[in-house]
Amino acid sequence: MPLIRLNDVSKIYHLESGDFTALDHVTLDIAENEFVAIMGPSGSGKSTMMNQLGILDVPTTGELFIAGENVAKMSSLERTHMRRDIIGYIFQKFYLIPLLSAYENVEYPLILKYKKRDTTGRAAGYLKAVGIDEEKSAHRPNQLSGGQQQRVAIARALVNDPKILLCDEPTGNLDSKTGLQIMEILCDLHRKGKTVIIVTHDQKIADYAQRTIRLADGRVVDS
Ligand code: ADP
Ligand code: ADP
């Protein structure tokens, strides 16, 4: 069993105007330590797919296996725990908490998980690894550049040592030079064993991946 398996997965939204099929019989495997890009026009189902891969949602029909577990058969608490254990999320808009310092933002998932302050300095290590020094770590997000904020967000995503990094347009808010620096960090994490899945509109960004999954109207048209 690969790390991720979608077996005939459909996602149907029930709207007042009728049912809308956002994912249409998708069958797909992603192996551990793959680096995959997901591309497709707006409305093709990329966010819906990321919500499935991120265990934020379950298929309407079909089966989704993550790390061998059938996600639809898990309780919502089990899904929450699995999400925290094996997935790190990185977003276009960073979503750092404005009132917390960079360090506190990175420490936050540890506090959620262990219900107490982590005293091992783990957050500092991850910040250093993505190029945020001690001085910058004390800054709040609005005192950092976009590229620095995304580095902090990557450190936050790494702090629980997830197997999978789900990146939704991670360079979408950055100039191209800064975006490529962020891609270098993601490539390095891939080399160190992470499974990296990235949604992008930018072919130059997708070129970093080993494989591109193309969606159109909720279907995989190329993988
Ligand atoms: P993409 O990320 O490729 O732009 P999405 O997965 O966001 O595509 O959306 C695919 C289609 O599903 C869109 O037409 C969108 O309107 C619809 N959709 C997405 N999420 C929902 C939702 N929660 N409820 C209803 N419709 C949705
Ligand atoms: P993105 O730029 O990531 O594709 P979208 O604008 O497609 O963002 O969607 C943002 C979020 O809103 C998605 O997670 C999706 O589930 C939800 N969404 C998209 N379209 C709809 C819709 N028609 N109704 C309800 N929720 C939607």
Side-chain angles (χ1 to χ4, degrees), residues 3 55 66-67 81-88 160-165:
L3 183 58
I55 328 183
I66 306 218
H81 285 146
M82 186 173 203
R83 207 182 292 138
R84 278 185 200 158
D85 281 345
I86 77 163
I87 299 175
N160 280 329
D161 195 25
K163 271 184 192 296
I164 304 170
L165 285 177

Side-chain angles (χ1 to χ4, degrees), residues 9-208:
V9 165
S10 292
K11 178 67 199 180
I12 297 164
Y13 292 113
H14 302 290
L15 309 172
E16 276 177 34
S17 53
D19 287 354
F20 182 86
T21 303
L23 286 180
D24 193 2
H25 298 283
V26 171
T27 293
L28 190 72
D29 285 351
I30 298 176
E32 181 148 16
N33 196 217
E34 268 201 271
F35 189 165
V36 176
I38 299 176
M39 298 189 84
S42 189
S44 59
K46 301 183 299 295
S47 300
T48 304
M49 170 85 98
M50 287 298 258
N51 289 344
Q52 297 284 330
L53 299 177
I55 328 183
L56 293 163
D57 201 355
V58 293
T60 309
T61 61
E63 295 168 314
L64 169 65
F65 295 93
I66 306 218
E69 301 282 348
N70 186 339
V71 166
K73 296 208 164 138
M74 298 166 75
S75 69
S76 100
L77 185 64
E78 287 170 332
R79 282 199 288 269
T80 300
H81 285 146
M82 186 173 203
R83 207 182 292 138
R84 278 185 200 158
D85 281 345
I86 77 163
I87 299 175
Y89 302 87
I90 296 161
F91 308 95
Q92 174 171 1
K93 291 176 186 166
F94 322 131
Y95 293 124
L96 298 171
I97 300 171
L99 291 175
L100 299 183
S101 69
Y103 183 90
E104 289 164 337
N105 266 279
V106 174
E107 193 185 39
Y108 192 64
L110 290 172
I111 294 173
L112 279 185
K113 190 166 173 176
Y114 300 108
K115 307 267 194 298
K116 63 175 167 66
R117 290 210 147 234
D118 181 72
T119 52
T120 62
R122 230 157 111 188
Y126 282 104
L127 280 159
K128 196 165 169 225
V130 296
I132 299 291
D133 64 25
E134 217 171 301
E135 189 217 322
K136 289 270 181 291
S137 297
H139 290 191
R140 288 186 184 169
N142 69 3
Q143 299 171 305
L144 299 172
S145 69
Q148 289 164 344
Q149 289 182 62
Q150 193 60 299
R151 286 168 192 266
V152 173
I154 292 172
R156 177 184 57 187
L158 290 173
V159 85
N160 280 329
D161 195 25
K163 271 184 192 296
I164 304 170
L165 285 177
L166 282 184
C167 317
D168 193 352
E169 297 273 4
T171 63
N173 264 354
L174 305 174
D175 64 72
S176 57
K177 182 166 165 256
T178 308
L180 297 186
Q181 290 168 354
I182 293 300
M183 289 312 296
E184 291 298 337
I185 294 175
L186 295 178
C187 284
D188 188 46
L189 292 167
H190 170 244
R191 276 191 293 273
K192 288 178 176 149
K194 299 291 184 198
T195 305
V196 180
I197 302 173
I198 174 171
V199 166
T200 181
H201 286 101
D202 187 340
Q203 186 60 51
K204 278 207 286 297
I205 298 297
D207 286 343
Y208 281 87

